[in-house]
């Protein structure tokens, strides 16, 4: 049985794969198509670290102690269905809803939020920012099992136990709901949020704040967005990268969830609905 397998070898999945392999862990990266072929030659990292490491790769999951999901949210269902034997499952994906999908197929599930920043450029992982990964029980994990996962993962990455992982997922989703669609629509780097996009960003921040408040979470969304936009000013958001590559985006798992929750709770989320519709229209243009 593998110690850890990572399903999805985009930027974060590949970066974590590199880090686990470097730390001497028994790690398998599960990828498909061109990415699988690239990874057969090793994970190449640039940016904060310049290195290359060989990793085990496959197009199918194996039996593992821990399975980390790093696929795009619209691929979660098929990825979770393909993982037949894992003791523990952890999502480090953006957006809301992934852990619930994984919970249909796995007995013990952890939720995760990561602020590690990476991009994939011509098959190379550009490691753009060292972050922290927060994890917590989502379904069926005892406290000692969560601690075991932290103890294992901290050999390779900075990881901590989240007091309330549901709240952390929504906080991160709010940041994504402001930065990602605005940068994707305007094709600007995250830093533009602090400048020419701030007027629009503020409107989205306000709606997200109201949705979070109605869920019992008091979050200064404007402050959090400003902080992240400053830290990642030179980044192209994941949604912008998807749009530039003509790929489907994660708008449903991010903005879509704020629109859904807002409407359910009688909150005016028309700005979120507008950017949702614009990004959907951009997806249809490809
Ligand atoms: O998570 C991100 C993303 O691009 O998806 C942010 C935090 C906005 C950094 O780019």
């Amino acid at each position: 049985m593998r110690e850890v397998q990572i399903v999805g070898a985009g930027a974060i999945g590949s970066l974590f794969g590199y880090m686990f392999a470097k730390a001497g862990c028994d790690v398998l990266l599960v990828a498909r198509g061109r990415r699988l072929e690239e990874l057969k030659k090793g994970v190449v990292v640039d940016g904060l670290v310049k290195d290359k490491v060989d990793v085990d790769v496959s197009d199918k999951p194996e039996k593992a102690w821990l399975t980390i999901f790093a696929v795009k949210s619209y691929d979660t269902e098929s990825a979770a269905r393909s993982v037949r034997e894992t003791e523990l499952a952890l999502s480090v994906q953006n957006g809301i809803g992934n852990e619930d999908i994984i919970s249909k197929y796995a007995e013990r599930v952890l939720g995760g939020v990561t602020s590690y920043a990476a991009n994939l450029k011509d098959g190379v992982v550009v490691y753009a920012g060292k972050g922290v990964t927060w994890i917590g029980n989502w379904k069926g994990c005892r406290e000692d099992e969560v601690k075991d996962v932290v103890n294992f993962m901290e050999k390779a990455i900075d990881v901590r136990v989240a007091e309330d992982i549901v709240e952390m997922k929504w906080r991160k989703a709010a940041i994504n709901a402001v930065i990602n669609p605005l940068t994707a629509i305007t094709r600007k780097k995250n830093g533009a949020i602090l400048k020419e996009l701030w007027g629009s960003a503020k409107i989205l921040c306000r709606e997200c704040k109201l949705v979070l408040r109605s869920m019992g979470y008091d979050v200064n969304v404007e402050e959090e967005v400003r902080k992240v936009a400053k830290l990642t000013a030179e980044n192209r958001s994941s949604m912008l990268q998807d749009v530039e590559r003509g790929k489907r985006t994660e708008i449903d798992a991010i903005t879509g969830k704020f629109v859904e929750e807002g409407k359910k709770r009688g909150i005016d989320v028309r700005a979120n609905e507008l950017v949702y519709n614009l990004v959907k229209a951009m997806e249809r243009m490809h």
Side-chain angles (χ1 to χ4, degrees):
M1 179 168 72
R2 291 272 174 191
E3 281 185 312
V4 56
Q5 62 185 343
I6 301 172
V7 182
I12 289 294
S14 302
L15 180 66
F16 281 12
Y18 163 79
M19 288 172 158
F20 281 120
K22 268 313 251 197
C25 302
D26 172 28
V27 57
L28 175 75
L29 262 180
V30 182
R32 285 183 312 198
R34 193 157 65 103
R35 187 69 190 131
L36 178 66
E37 294 311 310
E38 286 167 354
L39 289 169
K40 284 181 182 164
K41 295 180 217 133
V43 187
V44 185
V45 184
D46 200 357
L48 292 186
V49 172
K50 292 185 201 317
D51 200 2
K52 183 180 164 203
V53 76
D54 287 328
V55 283
D56 289 345
V57 291
S58 173
D59 62 347
K60 280 184 214 64
E62 291 180 4
K63 187 171 176 175
W65 173 66
L66 174 66
T67 299
I68 300 178
F69 287 85
V71 291
K72 291 284 185 188
S73 46
Y74 47 80
D75 281 333
T76 304
E77 184 95 40
S78 63
R81 201 183 299 119
S82 73
V83 174
R84 280 278 157 239
E85 289 181 287
T86 191
E87 292 194 13
L88 297 156
L90 162 68
S91 162
V92 291
Q93 299 157 277
N94 268 344
I96 301 295
N98 296 302
E99 286 83 354
D100 288 337
I101 295 171
I102 296 165
S103 294
K104 294 199 285 178
Y105 302 93
E107 291 294 317
R108 285 177 289 163
V109 180
L110 299 114
V113 167
T114 189
S115 58
Y116 276 88
N119 306 301
L120 257 194
K121 200 165 172 242
D122 303 325
V124 175
V125 183
V126 182
Y127 181 12
K130 193 191 164 303
V132 179
T133 298
W134 297 88
I135 67 169
N137 171 47
W138 197 271
K139 185 190 103 173
C141 301
R142 295 187 313 264
E143 215 171 290
D144 60 300
E145 284 171 328
V146 177
K147 287 219 178 87
D148 284 348
V149 175
V150 168
N151 291 341
F152 171 75
M153 288 178 70
E154 72 187 2
K155 292 185 210 166
I157 64 174
D158 192 346
V159 58
R160 303 180 200 168
V161 178
E163 237 172 70
D164 183 344
I165 193 64
V166 180
E167 174 175 356
M168 287 206 83
K169 294 253 26 156
W170 277 96
R171 275 175 177 259
K172 170 91 195 280
I175 295 166
N176 289 130
V178 179
I179 299 179
N180 293 24
L182 291 180
T183 52
I185 292 163
T186 59
R187 304 205 175 209
K188 302 220 177 229
K189 289 183 184 172
N190 292 358
I193 293 288
L194 301 166
K195 300 178 189 142
E196 63 267 40
L197 298 177
W198 186 241
S200 310
K202 259 169 77 169
I203 301 170
L204 293 176
C205 285
R206 187 171 177 279
E207 288 186 2
C208 291
K209 183 183 169 66
L210 292 176
V211 173
L212 293 182
R213 188 190 286 159
S214 76
M215 299 169 80
Y217 305 134
D218 196 12
V219 184
N220 188 335
V221 179
E222 279 194 18
E223 199 177 289
E224 302 220 343
V225 164
R226 291 191 75 91
K227 204 164 70 191
V228 173
K230 203 166 162 190
L231 277 172
T232 63
E234 284 305 307
N235 262 28
R236 304 178 92 74
S237 74
S238 55
M239 198 169 284
L240 171 56
Q241 292 178 57
D242 289 339
V243 164
E244 283 175 334
R245 292 189 186 123
K247 279 176 56 183
R248 191 174 161 188
T249 74
E250 294 187 289
I251 195 77
D252 287 289
I254 299 173
T255 304
K257 296 294 174 184
F258 278 93
V259 172
E260 197 179 299
E261 281 300 318
K263 286 188 166 173
K264 213 156 70 189
R265 293 161 188 273
I267 297 161
D268 181 357
V269 283
R270 72 181 75 173
N272 273 281
E273 201 168 7
L274 172 69
V275 296
Y276 175 87
N277 288 333
L278 288 174
V279 173
K280 280 284 174 197
M282 287 168 83
E283 285 181 348
R284 282 194 295 272
M285 283 174 353
H286 298 292

